[in-house]
Amino acid sequence: MTMKFSKKLRNWTIGIGILAVVGIGFFVVANDTSESLPVTKYYDYDTAVPLKDSVRSIHDTADFEVLSISFKSVHDKKVTALLSLPKNVDTPLPVIILMHGLGDHKAVDYVAFGNELFLKNGYAVLRLDISNHGDRKGDVYDFDLTGKHKYWARDVISQTVFDLRRAVDFIETRKELDADRIGDYGISLGGIIGTIFCGVEDRVKVPIIVLAGGQMNLLYEAGALSQDAKDFVSIIEPLNFVKKIAPRPFLMLNAKNDEIVPPMMSKLLFNKAEKPKEIIWYDAKHRDAPLEIIYGDGLNWFNKYL
């Protein structure tokens, strides 16, 4: 039995056949989807989402005021921070974002030292808790980018980059702060995060990275050169972001005998950065870097460029 097709159906079938031949190139192109996303694009976010910020005064003197702050970040995370404001100086104030290291918090002694120094020199200082640190601490696991909680550890870093970008959004809402004069001073893990943050956030004018470095895949030792290791650290690899800091002036402050962040990793990061840049080495270990000098050198850099 011979099947009969309507004229309309026959024409439709012929048309599909023509498309199959003529349009094969278009079909291939349309289905050639990329599996990779530029790492810098990973930190894009919706700026229109409300901050829902809360601000209250917790310490007020004749010379300065300290505000306790919270605001909503990406992934519906609540960020906690302290904002120190000097008095008897012209406003709007230049702002330094000051970030602590692994396992610490926004008011730890070495951060409090820097806060006081910058404050006395006319800078507002914004101190955030890193994700899952300080007032934001929840369930805590081993911070190990090669261990069984490696995704949790990586999220601590990536989430804080988003949090810092939202902190800049917050700064832009405050009339007493100069959003065109923002500096970043990140210490240890805060420096690793700060490199990524400043690479994707050009509203920060002067980045200073302290006791930090790059080439995170070296943590994998024998597996350091594997594609899996490189892929896993790609979104938190400072080397992937540091070039984008230029032409802003970039300063690194590092310890010659650092037992936590090997000097080689600091050198790799500095070499990857574009000019203008400078690195200062101290005859010290990670935990005994001279605070007066290391903060003093940072202050001089801010005074010059911010």
Side-chain angles (χ1 to χ4, degrees):
M1 181 177 177
T2 304
M3 298 186 67
K4 296 181 180 180
F5 295 89
S6 70
K7 184 176 181 182
K8 182 183 291 186
L9 180 59
R10 183 168 61 251
N11 290 343
W12 180 84
T13 305
I14 293 171
I16 290 295
I18 293 172
L19 285 174
V21 175
V22 177
I24 191 71
F26 172 78
F27 181 81
V28 171
V29 172
N31 283 274
D32 183 23
T33 56
S34 174
E35 293 184 0
S36 63
L37 177 76
V39 288
T40 55
K41 292 295 183 183
Y42 177 80
Y43 292 103
D44 289 349
Y45 67 103
D46 296 318
T47 58
V49 174
L51 282 166
K52 297 183 180 179
D53 54 302
S54 171
V55 179
R56 61 185 177 89
S57 178
I58 59 173
H59 193 46
D60 197 359
T61 74
D63 299 317
F64 65 89
E65 183 178 15
V66 180
L67 305 176
S68 177
I69 293 166
S70 68
F71 56 84
K72 281 295 183 74
S73 182
V74 176
H75 307 128
D76 202 34
K77 297 293 186 179
K78 180 182 179 180
V79 180
T80 51
L82 295 172
L83 176 62
S84 302
L85 301 170
K87 293 185 176 180
N88 307 312
V89 292
D90 293 336
T91 58
L93 299 161
V95 189
I96 295 173
I97 299 174
L98 177 56
M99 295 298 293
H100 64 84
L102 179 64
D104 292 324
H105 53 84
K106 61 185 178 297
V108 69
D109 54 0
Y110 63 86
V111 171
F113 183 97
N115 173 71
E116 183 177 355
L117 178 66
F118 295 144
L119 194 59
K120 286 181 177 178
N121 283 272
Y123 293 96
V125 184
L126 182 60
R127 296 171 278 164
L128 275 64
D129 283 318
I130 287 175
S131 177
N132 258 296
H133 285 67
D135 293 333
R136 307 176 65 190
K137 185 178 290 186
D139 293 333
V140 176
Y141 306 99
D142 290 336
F143 189 89
D144 183 355
L145 291 169
T146 67
K148 61 182 180 180
H149 299 122
K150 64 180 185 178
Y151 291 99
W152 178 87
R154 185 175 68 174
D155 287 347
V156 167
I157 295 175
S158 61
Q159 179 62 47
T160 308
V161 176
F162 285 116
D163 301 340
L164 287 164
R165 299 201 72 182
R166 291 297 274 167
V168 177
D169 294 341
F170 171 80
I171 289 171
E172 290 185 328
T173 70
R174 305 294 298 186
K175 65 180 185 302
E176 72 269 49
L177 303 179
D178 190 345
D180 292 324
R181 298 177 67 196
I182 301 174
D184 179 75
Y185 192 101
I187 304 165
S188 194
L189 180 61
I192 290 171
I193 294 169
T195 306
I196 303 166
F197 163 54
C198 294
V200 298
E201 185 52 82
D202 59 10
R203 290 176 292 178
V204 176
K205 302 306 180 186
V206 182
I208 299 179
I209 304 305
V210 185
L211 303 173
Q215 204 72 62
M216 306 289 280
N217 59 302
L218 293 178
L219 298 171
Y220 285 77
E221 298 177 347
L225 298 181
S226 70
Q227 194 61 47
D228 284 347
K230 293 178 181 178
D231 288 346
F232 180 77
V233 301
S234 61
I235 61 170
I236 57 164
E237 173 53 72
L239 296 180
N240 290 338
F241 299 87
V242 71
K243 272 190 173 184
K244 294 187 175 294
I245 289 176
R248 292 166 287 168
F250 179 60
L251 176 65
M252 291 184 64
L253 306 174
N254 293 92
K256 293 179 180 178
N257 307 307
D258 198 319
E259 75 284 13
I260 305 298
V261 180
M264 177 182 66
M265 293 180 72
S266 302
K267 292 175 182 176
L268 288 170
L269 184 60
F270 180 74
N271 290 340
K272 192 78 170 182
E274 303 280 358
K275 295 179 180 179
K277 61 181 179 178
E278 184 175 329
I279 189 167
I280 299 175
W281 291 96
Y282 305 96
D283 189 12
K285 293 183 178 180
H286 192 86
R287 292 189 173 92
D288 64 4
L291 289 181
E292 298 88 348
I293 299 174
I294 205 167
Y295 272 117
D297 287 338
L299 176 62
N300 291 337
W301 193 262
F302 284 135
N303 287 341
K304 182 177 181 179
Y305 293 107
L306 191 60

